[in-house]
């Protein structure tokens, strides 16, 4: 997919020097493919443990979803712990439940340790449009409290109006351990931390082949890396480099707009506590304000990662349904980015042979889970596999109809769930 150059994040990124292109033959302990959050988190945890790490990025650091997402720190996974408890053995469910909130903690630790300037703001809201959704949020509140999140507050219709100036919602769940960040600046800060710790990052260095072996050989157009271990972290931008991964996942696109600068007073009139918010619909809306007081609003899914021609037409009606008071506001930035969807909507971790590892398919919940993934990868390479294997044991299936029909089948299913959302059933 071509990059939307009109990304607010790219326009407001912290100043940084580009990384070189690989043009030589290198040897290292771990070669990481992809400089998004999965790859960056893996590399940073590994260099902190003393591993010699090389990161290969086809485009630029944070080019994919890591540098284009909604910037929301959302806890748990795309399917919550109740689904996991219903379908996994108790010991596996216990391990996965114990990690529900760890990703956000890792992000905050990285920001603090390396002084990453990425506009961190605390607090996230899940907003219900129907009584059925509010009932589900009450169940989520109880589940998350059970697994150790004591920073939750249920909001009634009056309470939700105090955190968002919209008439759409009947209630909400406030998670004070959620929050939001400038996602590209977080990625750039983590990349700089890797460099400072002795890791090497190469941009414009797309991997053309991976040859298994001990060591494995990873080739690019102009160079190669021999590595004891390989970490495949390309997610929705991996293409067909590893065919066995492509059949069990599907790239999807999501669209975001950024308004003109509203000013602090008007921005706070929309979201008085500066929380981020997402609704509870199957194809959800999500929004927040930026460090320079714009409204960033995203929503919808384009299955198969097709690049929509008119993002404003898709997103502005959603924004105005939530905030009709913004009818006079101009949109200055529009962009799209890909995330990787799995049929189960749970992430896919695993091994290919003895020394090639992969983590992918966060299904829209990647900001926190990618950071957890990197920590677990560093654990498994250090001989502690229990937590990584709790994810690796999750079953994953190919999409019905294979690669040819997975898009229409999935879109039809989404249409059904969207209809249910509208009917409140």
């Amino acid at each position: 997919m071509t990059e939307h150059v009109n990304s607010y994040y790219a326009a407001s990124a912290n100043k940084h020097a580009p990384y070189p292109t690989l043009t030589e033959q290198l040897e290292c302990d771990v070669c990481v493919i992809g400089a998004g959050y999965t790859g960056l988190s893996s590399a940073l945890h590994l260099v902190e443990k003393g591993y010699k790490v090389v990161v290969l990025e086809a485009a630029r650091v944070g080019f994919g979803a890591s540098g284009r997402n909604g910037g929301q720190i959302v806890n748990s996974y795309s399917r919550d712990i109740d689904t996991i408890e219903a379908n996994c053995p108790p010991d596996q469910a216990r391990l996965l439940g114990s990690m529900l909130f760890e990703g956000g903690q890792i992000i905050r630790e990285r920001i603090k340790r390396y002084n990453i300037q990425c506009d961190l703001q605390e607090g996230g809201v899940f907003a219900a449009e129907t009584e059925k959704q509010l009932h589900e949020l009450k169940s989520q509140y109880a589940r998350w409290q059970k697994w150790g999140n004591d920073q939750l507050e249920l909001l009634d219709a009056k309470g939700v109006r105090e955190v968002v100036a919209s008439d759409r919602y009947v209630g909400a769940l406030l998670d004070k351990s959620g929050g939001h960040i400038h996602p590209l600046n977080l990625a750039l800060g983590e990349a700089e931390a890797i460099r400072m710790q002795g890791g090497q990052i190469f941009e414009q260095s797309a991997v053309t082949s991976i040859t298994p072996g001990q060591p494995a050989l990873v080739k690019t157009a102009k160079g190669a890396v021999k590595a004891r271990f390989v970490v495949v972290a390309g997610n929705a931008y991996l293409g067909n480099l590893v065919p066995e991964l492509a059949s069990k996942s599907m790239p999807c696109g999501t669209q975001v707009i950024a308004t003109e600068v509203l000013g602090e007073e008007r921005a706070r009139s929309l979201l008085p506590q500066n929380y981020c918010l997402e609704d509870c619909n199957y194809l959800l809306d999500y929004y927040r304000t930026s460090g320079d007081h714009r409204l960033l609003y995203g929503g919808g899914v384009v299955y198969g990662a097709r690049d929509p021609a008119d993002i404003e037409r898709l997103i502005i009606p959603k924004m105005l349904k939530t905030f009709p008071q913004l009818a006079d506001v101009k949109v200055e930035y529009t962009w799209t980015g890909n995330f990787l969807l799995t049929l189960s909507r749970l992430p896919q971790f695993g091994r290919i042979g003895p020394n090639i590892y992969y983590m992918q398919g966060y299904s829209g919940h990647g900001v926190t889970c990618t950071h957890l993934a990197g920590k677990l990868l560093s654990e498994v390479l250090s001989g502690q596999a229990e937590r990584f294997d709790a994810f690796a044991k999750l079953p994953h299936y190919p999409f019905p109809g294979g690669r040819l029909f997975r898009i229409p089948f999935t879109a039809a299913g989404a249409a059904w769930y969207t209809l249910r959302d509208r009917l409140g059933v």
Side-chain angles (χ1 to χ4, degrees):
M1 188 198 76
T2 57
E3 180 185 21
H4 262 268
V5 295
N6 201 26
S7 162
Y8 164 72
Y9 298 134
S12 58
N14 295 335
K15 291 183 179 180
H16 63 286
Y19 292 90
T21 297
L22 182 66
T23 58
E24 56 189 314
Q25 313 289 314
L26 298 177
E27 295 187 10
C28 65
D29 296 320
V30 186
C31 179
V32 177
I33 301 171
Y37 288 152
T38 301
L40 294 170
S41 179
S42 299
L44 187 49
H45 278 99
L46 289 166
V47 295
E48 288 173 341
K49 289 188 173 185
Y51 287 87
K52 184 178 181 182
V53 179
V54 172
V55 180
L56 300 177
E57 166 57 43
R60 293 178 301 282
V61 169
F63 171 84
S66 299
R68 304 192 221 176
N69 63 77
Q72 300 200 15
I73 300 172
V74 180
N75 285 308
S76 190
Y77 319 116
S78 191
R79 297 300 296 270
D80 204 10
I81 189 63
D82 56 331
T83 300
I84 291 170
E85 289 179 306
N87 292 281
C88 294
D91 287 348
Q92 184 185 13
R94 175 184 55 80
L95 278 171
L96 293 170
S98 71
M99 294 183 273
L100 283 176
F101 312 111
E102 191 170 346
Q105 296 165 5
I106 293 169
I107 290 171
R108 289 175 174 84
E109 187 275 334
R110 269 39 192 124
I111 291 171
K112 182 177 180 180
R113 180 188 296 195
Y114 296 107
N115 192 27
I116 299 173
Q117 302 302 307
C118 60
D119 300 330
L120 172 64
Q121 297 290 325
E122 302 292 354
V125 174
F126 303 92
E129 292 190 15
T130 66
E131 291 298 330
K132 178 177 183 289
Q133 291 177 352
L134 184 58
H135 177 76
E136 291 171 352
L137 286 179
K138 291 176 180 177
S139 297
Q140 180 179 325
Y141 173 84
R143 291 194 301 270
W144 282 16
Q145 277 202 321
K146 169 188 170 183
W147 288 101
N149 189 335
D150 59 0
Q151 300 184 63
L152 302 169
E153 182 181 347
L154 282 167
L155 306 176
D156 59 15
K158 179 182 177 183
V160 74
R161 282 282 297 172
E162 294 175 357
V163 301
V164 55
S166 177
D167 295 327
R168 288 186 68 173
Y169 311 115
V170 299
L173 175 62
L174 167 62
D175 180 7
K176 294 181 181 178
S177 69
H180 55 99
I181 40 87
H182 186 300
L184 180 55
N185 282 338
L186 176 61
L188 293 171
E190 291 174 344
E192 177 62 11
I194 292 164
R195 187 189 69 80
M196 293 292 290
Q197 295 286 327
Q200 292 178 279
I201 298 176
F202 296 92
E203 296 179 323
Q204 305 295 334
S205 301
V207 172
T208 56
S209 67
I210 305 170
T211 303
Q214 303 208 13
L217 179 64
V218 181
K219 289 186 177 181
T220 70
K222 298 180 180 180
V225 180
K226 288 184 178 180
R228 292 169 51 209
F229 301 99
V230 174
V231 179
V232 180
N235 272 283
Y237 294 83
L238 190 62
N240 206 41
L241 180 64
V242 184
E244 54 262 60
L245 298 183
S247 65
K248 296 182 180 180
S249 57
M250 178 171 62
C252 297
T254 185
Q255 297 77 49
V256 190
I257 62 175
T259 68
E260 63 185 331
V261 174
L262 302 176
E264 184 173 6
E265 183 178 355
R266 193 171 189 186
R268 291 292 74 78
S269 74
L270 303 175
L271 294 160
Q273 289 79 26
N274 200 13
Y275 298 143
C276 60
L277 189 144
E278 65 177 60
D279 66 34
C280 298
N281 294 322
Y282 184 80
L283 298 181
L284 56 83
D285 288 6
Y286 51 91
Y287 50 89
R288 64 185 184 88
T289 53
S290 63
D292 59 352
H293 310 302
R294 303 171 187 269
L295 181 70
L296 277 59
Y297 203 105
V301 174
V302 177
Y303 295 103
R306 177 176 52 82
D307 197 353
D310 189 356
I311 294 171
E312 291 188 35
R313 180 182 58 81
L314 294 171
I315 304 301
I316 288 179
K318 297 174 181 289
M319 179 185 77
L320 294 180
K321 183 179 179 182
T322 305
F323 297 118
Q325 61 268 46
L326 296 183
D328 63 327
V329 168
K330 295 178 182 178
V331 170
E332 290 193 350
Y333 296 93
T334 66
W335 69 97
T336 187
N338 296 351
F339 66 92
L340 196 64
L341 182 73
T342 67
L343 189 62
S344 68
R345 288 171 47 206
L346 287 169
Q348 298 173 341
F349 292 13
R351 304 165 178 81
I352 302 171
N355 61 343
I356 299 175
Y357 292 79
Y358 63 87
M359 297 93 79
Q360 66 169 26
Y362 307 96
S363 302
H365 267 60
V367 173
T368 53
C369 196
T370 50
H371 285 82
L372 173 65
K375 184 176 182 180
L376 301 189
L377 187 280
S378 72
E379 291 176 0
V380 75
L381 294 193
S382 302
Q384 300 171 307
E386 182 182 35
R387 300 207 309 158
F388 182 92
D389 285 346
F391 282 96
K393 291 175 182 177
L394 291 170
H396 295 288
Y397 310 100
F399 280 84
R403 300 188 73 175
L404 180 62
F405 294 106
R406 64 185 178 181
I407 294 174
F409 282 177
T410 307
W416 163 243
Y417 282 107
T418 299
L419 178 62
R420 288 184 59 186
D421 288 336
R422 290 175 179 170
L423 296 175
V425 297

